């Protein structure tokens, strides 16, 4: 047993504030009962996600005191009695979705909306508002339930540590970006527009290339992020510039529409052109319907919430957005929303990393930081840095 260990984690203190504090060492327990199907991990890497920033900005109903972090890679140090296929010492990737493996949705592969792990609604995640109250993994140690079902074991520990900067992205953003492209129908020869050049947008752009897209166009308002997208062969559009999106696409493609559109922005979207400083939460969705060809598909991995205390109007505070849905209906668009079911993709994407088919860490510009540097990482990320901050709680990962 490991209960004598100390533990520290990144704690949400209120809008604009996070702090590294001592937190309880995890136990193999769910409330008052033993969690025999769980494991305790020594966290090797844990990433700052754009979704975390929504909470830290005060744009959700997240409570003060929440331990953050849902992107976790770790080494098992203790197993519950019912864990059969994993053992202490294994290095594993933790899907951000917590899934029981037993309910109807899990059995259908819809692990992002498990019916048994969150009493409030389908779906759960570590360290996230309204996602079941699970303790987050931006910490030194964390407990993972339903371990045999949830965890992806890396086949070789030494190889895993060599490629940890890419493998750490399997917990969320690489599968999420890939899922956005799959649900947008990206395939060989597709033309693709990716809205947003944050880490998920960049991961989606790499995923589109992996899926065989002919041309990947990334739109954003931060030049550093657009430069990062160009670094691995994407075309870019600076959304601060005035002009119609169709005209800008025509310059690149010779056509005014794309085959597939992926929204990697979500509910804190801003207007384009001269109004780029003003929030317009439905603008990406409306752009998607305007510039996606008739019969095309729109993947929406970008986060939309049911409650946004900081929204621009009362409707948006309840997640009600002013969408021009009739246009999407008239063009027979397909829309796919919701959390990525990470387990659907993570093993295949692991193989792509291990066999050097993709360098996802380079594409999203992984920057390693210590646990104590996490508050600065949050501030820098919120300022628009073109980096994916990965926390190394124990100093285990070589620079």
């Amino acid at each position: 047993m490991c209960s004598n260990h100390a533990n520290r984690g990144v704690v949400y203190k209120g809008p604009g504030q996070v702090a590294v504090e001592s937190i309880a060492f995890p136990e193999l327990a769910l409330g008052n009962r033993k969690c025999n199907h769980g494991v305790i991990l020594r966290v090797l890497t844990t990433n700052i996600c754009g979704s975390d920033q929504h909470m830290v900005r005060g744009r959700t109903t997240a409570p003060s005191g929440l331990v953050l972090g849902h992107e976790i890679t770790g080494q098992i140090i203790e197993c519950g009695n019912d864990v059969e296929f994993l053992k202490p010492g294994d290095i594993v990737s933790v899907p951000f979705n917590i899934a029981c493996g037993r309910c109807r949705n899990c059995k259908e592969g819809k692990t992002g909306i498990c019916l048994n792990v969150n009493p409030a609604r389908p779906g759960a995640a570590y360290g996230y508002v309204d996602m079941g109250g699970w303790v987050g993994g931006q910490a030194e140690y964390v407990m993972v339930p339903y371990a045999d079902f949830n965890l992806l074991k890396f086949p070789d520990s030494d190889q895993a540590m060599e490629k940890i900067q890419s493998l750490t992205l399997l917990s969320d953003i690489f599968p999420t970006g890939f899922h956005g492209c799959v649900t947008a129908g990206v395939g060989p020869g597709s033309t693709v527009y990716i809205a947003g050049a944050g880490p998920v947008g960049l991961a989606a752009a790499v995923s589109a290339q992996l899926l065989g897209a002919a041309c990947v166009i990334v739109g954003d308002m931060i030049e550093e992020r657009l430069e990062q997208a160009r670094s691995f062969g994407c075309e870019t559009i600076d959304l601060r510039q005035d002009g119609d999106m169709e005209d800008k696409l025509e310059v690149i493609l010779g056509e005014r529409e794309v085959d597939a559109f992926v929204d990697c922005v979500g509910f804190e979207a801003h207007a384009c052109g001269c109004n780029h400083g003003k929030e317009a939460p439905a603008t990406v969705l409306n752009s998607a319907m305007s510039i996606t060809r008739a019969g095309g598909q729109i993947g929406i991995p970008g986060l939309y919430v049911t409650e946004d205390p900081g929204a621009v109007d009362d409707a948006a505070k309840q997640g009600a957005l002013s969408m021009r849905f009739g246009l999407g209906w008239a063009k027979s668009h397909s829309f796919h929303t919701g959390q990525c079911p990470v387990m659907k993709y993570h093993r295949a994407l692991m193989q792509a990393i291990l066999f050097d088919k993709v360098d996802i860490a380079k594409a999203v510009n992984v920057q390693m930081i210590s646990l104590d540097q996490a508050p600065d990482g949050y501030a820098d990320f919120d300022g628009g840095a073109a980096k994916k901050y990965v926390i190394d709680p124990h100093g285990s990962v070589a620079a």
Side-chain angles (χ1 to χ4, degrees), residues 38-39 41 72 76 83 86 92-95 126 144-153 343 346:
V39 300
L41 298 183
I72 308 163
I76 297 173
V83 176
L86 298 163
V92 294
S93 178
V94 184
Y126 304 89
V144 174
Y146 307 103
D148 279 327
F149 181 66
N150 282 285
L151 295 178
L152 175 68
K153 176 185 171 182
M343 277 188 275
H346 65 175

mmCIF file of all heavy atoms in Angstrom, residues 38-39 41 72 76 83 86 92-95 126 144-153 343 346:
data_model
loop_
_atom_site.group_PDB
_atom_site.id
_atom_site.type_symbol
_atom_site.label_atom_id
_atom_site.label_comp_id
_atom_site.label_asym_id
_atom_site.label_seq_id
_atom_site.Cartn_x
_atom_site.Cartn_y
_atom_site.Cartn_z
ATOM 1 N N GLY A 38 -9.742 -0.653 -9.752
ATOM 2 C CA GLY A 38 -8.938 0.533 -10.032
ATOM 3 C C GLY A 38 -7.453 0.325 -9.834
ATOM 4 O O GLY A 38 -6.996 -0.700 -9.313
ATOM 5 N N VAL A 39 -6.689 1.333 -10.274
ATOM 6 C CA VAL A 39 -5.247 1.370 -10.028
ATOM 7 C C VAL A 39 -4.867 2.767 -9.556
ATOM 8 O O VAL A 39 -5.601 3.735 -9.772
ATOM 9 C CB VAL A 39 -4.424 1.025 -11.299
ATOM 10 C CG1 VAL A 39 -4.745 -0.366 -11.805
ATOM 11 C CG2 VAL A 39 -4.633 2.067 -12.393
ATOM 12 N N LEU A 41 -1.843 5.511 -10.071
ATOM 13 C CA LEU A 41 -0.743 5.849 -10.978
ATOM 14 C C LEU A 41 0.185 6.874 -10.363
ATOM 15 O O LEU A 41 -0.262 7.829 -9.703
ATOM 16 C CB LEU A 41 -1.286 6.439 -12.283
ATOM 17 C CG LEU A 41 -2.180 5.591 -13.171
ATOM 18 C CD1 LEU A 41 -2.526 6.381 -14.426
ATOM 19 C CD2 LEU A 41 -1.531 4.277 -13.527
ATOM 20 N N ILE A 72 -3.749 12.378 -18.883
ATOM 21 C CA ILE A 72 -2.865 11.718 -17.929
ATOM 22 C C ILE A 72 -2.150 10.539 -18.574
ATOM 23 O O ILE A 72 -2.766 9.717 -19.246
ATOM 24 C CB ILE A 72 -3.666 11.198 -16.714
ATOM 25 C CG1 ILE A 72 -4.549 12.300 -16.100
ATOM 26 C CG2 ILE A 72 -2.736 10.613 -15.657
ATOM 27 C CD1 ILE A 72 -5.651 11.762 -15.197
ATOM 28 N N ILE A 76 1.781 2.497 -13.244
ATOM 29 C CA ILE A 76 0.995 1.872 -12.190
ATOM 30 C C ILE A 76 1.884 1.543 -10.994
ATOM 31 O O ILE A 76 2.956 0.944 -11.143
ATOM 32 C CB ILE A 76 0.312 0.590 -12.706
ATOM 33 C CG1 ILE A 76 -0.678 0.930 -13.824
ATOM 34 C CG2 ILE A 76 -0.394 -0.151 -11.567
ATOM 35 C CD1 ILE A 76 -1.275 -0.293 -14.503
ATOM 36 N N VAL A 83 -8.117 -6.306 -10.769
ATOM 37 C CA VAL A 83 -7.386 -5.941 -11.987
ATOM 38 C C VAL A 83 -6.611 -7.169 -12.460
ATOM 39 O O VAL A 83 -5.747 -7.690 -11.750
ATOM 40 C CB VAL A 83 -6.444 -4.755 -11.742
ATOM 41 C CG1 VAL A 83 -5.619 -4.448 -12.998
ATOM 42 C CG2 VAL A 83 -7.239 -3.527 -11.317
ATOM 43 N N LEU A 86 -3.245 -5.889 -15.983
ATOM 44 C CA LEU A 86 -2.236 -4.857 -15.776
ATOM 45 C C LEU A 86 -1.511 -5.156 -14.472
ATOM 46 O O LEU A 86 -2.026 -5.855 -13.600
ATOM 47 C CB LEU A 86 -2.900 -3.469 -15.693
ATOM 48 C CG LEU A 86 -3.643 -3.000 -16.941
ATOM 49 C CD1 LEU A 86 -4.578 -1.846 -16.606
ATOM 50 C CD2 LEU A 86 -2.669 -2.600 -18.037
ATOM 51 N N VAL A 92 1.060 3.520 -18.874
ATOM 52 C CA VAL A 92 -0.251 3.501 -19.514
ATOM 53 C C VAL A 92 -0.718 4.912 -19.870
ATOM 54 O O VAL A 92 -0.361 5.892 -19.219
ATOM 55 C CB VAL A 92 -1.306 2.840 -18.590
ATOM 56 C CG1 VAL A 92 -0.993 1.364 -18.390
ATOM 57 C CG2 VAL A 92 -1.386 3.560 -17.244
ATOM 58 N N SER A 93 -1.546 4.972 -20.903
ATOM 59 C CA SER A 93 -2.256 6.189 -21.262
ATOM 60 C C SER A 93 -3.670 6.097 -20.703
ATOM 61 O O SER A 93 -4.326 5.056 -20.786
ATOM 62 C CB SER A 93 -2.313 6.352 -22.786
ATOM 63 O OG SER A 93 -3.044 7.505 -23.147
ATOM 64 N N VAL A 94 -4.149 7.196 -20.131
ATOM 65 C CA VAL A 94 -5.466 7.248 -19.496
ATOM 66 C C VAL A 94 -6.415 8.047 -20.396
ATOM 67 O O VAL A 94 -6.243 9.255 -20.542
ATOM 68 C CB VAL A 94 -5.398 7.922 -18.113
ATOM 69 C CG1 VAL A 94 -6.759 7.873 -17.423
ATOM 70 C CG2 VAL A 94 -4.319 7.290 -17.249
ATOM 71 N N PRO A 95 -7.408 7.434 -21.017
ATOM 72 C CA PRO A 95 -8.402 8.226 -21.741
ATOM 73 C C PRO A 95 -9.065 9.231 -20.810
ATOM 74 O O PRO A 95 -9.362 8.912 -19.658
ATOM 75 C CB PRO A 95 -9.415 7.175 -22.219
ATOM 76 C CG PRO A 95 -8.689 5.875 -22.188
ATOM 77 C CD PRO A 95 -7.714 5.993 -21.051
ATOM 78 N N TYR A 126 -11.898 13.241 -15.623
ATOM 79 C CA TYR A 126 -11.116 13.615 -14.442
ATOM 80 C C TYR A 126 -11.019 15.136 -14.348
ATOM 81 O O TYR A 126 -10.751 15.811 -15.343
ATOM 82 C CB TYR A 126 -9.701 13.025 -14.530
ATOM 83 C CG TYR A 126 -9.676 11.536 -14.706
ATOM 84 C CD1 TYR A 126 -9.695 10.971 -15.988
ATOM 85 C CD2 TYR A 126 -9.654 10.677 -13.613
ATOM 86 C CE1 TYR A 126 -9.685 9.605 -16.161
ATOM 87 C CE2 TYR A 126 -9.647 9.305 -13.780
ATOM 88 C CZ TYR A 126 -9.666 8.775 -15.058
ATOM 89 O OH TYR A 126 -9.669 7.411 -15.238
ATOM 90 N N VAL A 144 -7.337 5.652 -11.005
ATOM 91 C CA VAL A 144 -8.079 5.392 -12.238
ATOM 92 C C VAL A 144 -8.975 4.173 -12.026
ATOM 93 O O VAL A 144 -8.464 3.088 -11.721
ATOM 94 C CB VAL A 144 -7.120 5.141 -13.424
ATOM 95 C CG1 VAL A 144 -7.890 4.730 -14.672
ATOM 96 C CG2 VAL A 144 -6.280 6.387 -13.695
ATOM 97 N N PRO A 145 -10.287 4.314 -12.170
ATOM 98 C CA PRO A 145 -11.185 3.172 -12.005
ATOM 99 C C PRO A 145 -11.312 2.351 -13.294
ATOM 100 O O PRO A 145 -10.863 2.787 -14.356
ATOM 101 C CB PRO A 145 -12.515 3.849 -11.671
ATOM 102 C CG PRO A 145 -12.462 5.118 -12.473
ATOM 103 C CD PRO A 145 -11.010 5.562 -12.436
ATOM 104 N N TYR A 146 -11.929 1.177 -13.173
ATOM 105 C CA TYR A 146 -12.190 0.315 -14.337
ATOM 106 C C TYR A 146 -10.941 0.195 -15.209
ATOM 107 O O TYR A 146 -10.970 0.355 -16.426
ATOM 108 C CB TYR A 146 -13.369 0.857 -15.146
ATOM 109 C CG TYR A 146 -14.603 1.088 -14.321
ATOM 110 C CD1 TYR A 146 -14.975 2.374 -13.934
ATOM 111 C CD2 TYR A 146 -15.394 0.022 -13.898
ATOM 112 C CE1 TYR A 146 -16.102 2.594 -13.147
ATOM 113 C CE2 TYR A 146 -16.519 0.237 -13.108
ATOM 114 C CZ TYR A 146 -16.866 1.515 -12.739
ATOM 115 O OH TYR A 146 -17.974 1.729 -11.960
ATOM 116 N N ALA A 147 -9.822 -0.106 -14.543
ATOM 117 C CA ALA A 147 -8.519 0.028 -15.184
ATOM 118 C C ALA A 147 -8.341 -0.901 -16.373
ATOM 119 O O ALA A 147 -7.813 -0.492 -17.414
ATOM 120 C CB ALA A 147 -7.414 -0.216 -14.156
ATOM 121 N N ASP A 148 -8.748 -2.173 -16.240
ATOM 122 C CA ASP A 148 -8.564 -3.096 -17.357
ATOM 123 C C ASP A 148 -9.253 -2.597 -18.616
ATOM 124 O O ASP A 148 -8.756 -2.791 -19.723
ATOM 125 C CB ASP A 148 -9.115 -4.485 -16.992
ATOM 126 C CG ASP A 148 -8.149 -5.305 -16.154
ATOM 127 O OD1 ASP A 148 -6.929 -5.160 -16.334
ATOM 128 O OD2 ASP A 148 -8.624 -6.096 -15.323
ATOM 129 N N PHE A 149 -10.411 -1.976 -18.448
ATOM 130 C CA PHE A 149 -11.156 -1.480 -19.611
ATOM 131 C C PHE A 149 -10.581 -0.174 -20.134
ATOM 132 O O PHE A 149 -10.427 0.008 -21.340
ATOM 133 C CB PHE A 149 -12.627 -1.292 -19.242
ATOM 134 C CG PHE A 149 -13.479 -0.808 -20.385
ATOM 135 C CD1 PHE A 149 -13.695 -1.605 -21.494
ATOM 136 C CD2 PHE A 149 -14.061 0.453 -20.361
ATOM 137 C CE1 PHE A 149 -14.481 -1.169 -22.559
ATOM 138 C CE2 PHE A 149 -14.843 0.907 -21.418
ATOM 139 C CZ PHE A 149 -15.050 0.093 -22.518
ATOM 140 N N ASN A 150 -10.248 0.760 -19.239
ATOM 141 C CA ASN A 150 -9.907 2.116 -19.661
ATOM 142 C C ASN A 150 -8.481 2.286 -20.178
ATOM 143 O O ASN A 150 -8.257 3.036 -21.128
ATOM 144 C CB ASN A 150 -10.118 3.097 -18.501
ATOM 145 C CG ASN A 150 -11.565 3.460 -18.294
ATOM 146 O OD1 ASN A 150 -12.134 4.232 -19.061
ATOM 147 N ND2 ASN A 150 -12.181 2.899 -17.267
ATOM 148 N N LEU A 151 -7.521 1.615 -19.569
ATOM 149 C CA LEU A 151 -6.132 1.984 -19.792
ATOM 150 C C LEU A 151 -5.538 1.341 -21.040
ATOM 151 O O LEU A 151 -5.825 0.188 -21.372
ATOM 152 C CB LEU A 151 -5.288 1.601 -18.580
ATOM 153 C CG LEU A 151 -5.637 2.360 -17.298
ATOM 154 C CD1 LEU A 151 -4.781 1.867 -16.138
ATOM 155 C CD2 LEU A 151 -5.466 3.857 -17.490
ATOM 156 N N LEU A 152 -4.683 2.105 -21.720
ATOM 157 C CA LEU A 152 -3.901 1.621 -22.857
ATOM 158 C C LEU A 152 -2.472 1.425 -22.384
ATOM 159 O O LEU A 152 -1.769 2.390 -22.058
ATOM 160 C CB LEU A 152 -3.938 2.637 -24.001
ATOM 161 C CG LEU A 152 -3.056 2.309 -25.208
ATOM 162 C CD1 LEU A 152 -3.578 1.082 -25.952
ATOM 163 C CD2 LEU A 152 -2.945 3.514 -26.153
ATOM 164 N N LYS A 153 -2.042 0.164 -22.332
ATOM 165 C CA LYS A 153 -0.681 -0.148 -21.908
ATOM 166 C C LYS A 153 0.275 -0.007 -23.091
ATOM 167 O O LYS A 153 0.008 -0.508 -24.183
ATOM 168 C CB LYS A 153 -0.621 -1.582 -21.363
ATOM 169 C CG LYS A 153 0.782 -2.038 -20.987
ATOM 170 C CD LYS A 153 0.781 -3.509 -20.579
ATOM 171 C CE LYS A 153 2.190 -4.040 -20.412
ATOM 172 N NZ LYS A 153 2.200 -5.476 -20.058
ATOM 173 N N MET A 343 -11.070 5.717 -26.598
ATOM 174 C CA MET A 343 -10.676 4.325 -26.810
ATOM 175 C C MET A 343 -10.930 3.829 -28.227
ATOM 176 O O MET A 343 -10.365 2.828 -28.650
ATOM 177 C CB MET A 343 -11.367 3.419 -25.804
ATOM 178 C CG MET A 343 -10.655 3.375 -24.474
ATOM 179 S SD MET A 343 -11.349 2.121 -23.375
ATOM 180 C CE MET A 343 -12.677 3.063 -22.659
ATOM 181 N N HIS A 346 -7.276 5.350 -29.680
ATOM 182 C CA HIS A 346 -5.944 5.584 -29.085
ATOM 183 C C HIS A 346 -4.923 4.503 -29.424
ATOM 184 O O HIS A 346 -3.742 4.810 -29.569
ATOM 185 C CB HIS A 346 -6.029 5.860 -27.578
ATOM 186 C CG HIS A 346 -6.521 4.740 -26.727
ATOM 187 N ND1 HIS A 346 -6.553 4.833 -25.349
ATOM 188 C CD2 HIS A 346 -7.018 3.512 -27.026
ATOM 189 C CE1 HIS A 346 -7.040 3.710 -24.846
ATOM 190 N NE2 HIS A 346 -7.331 2.912 -25.825
#
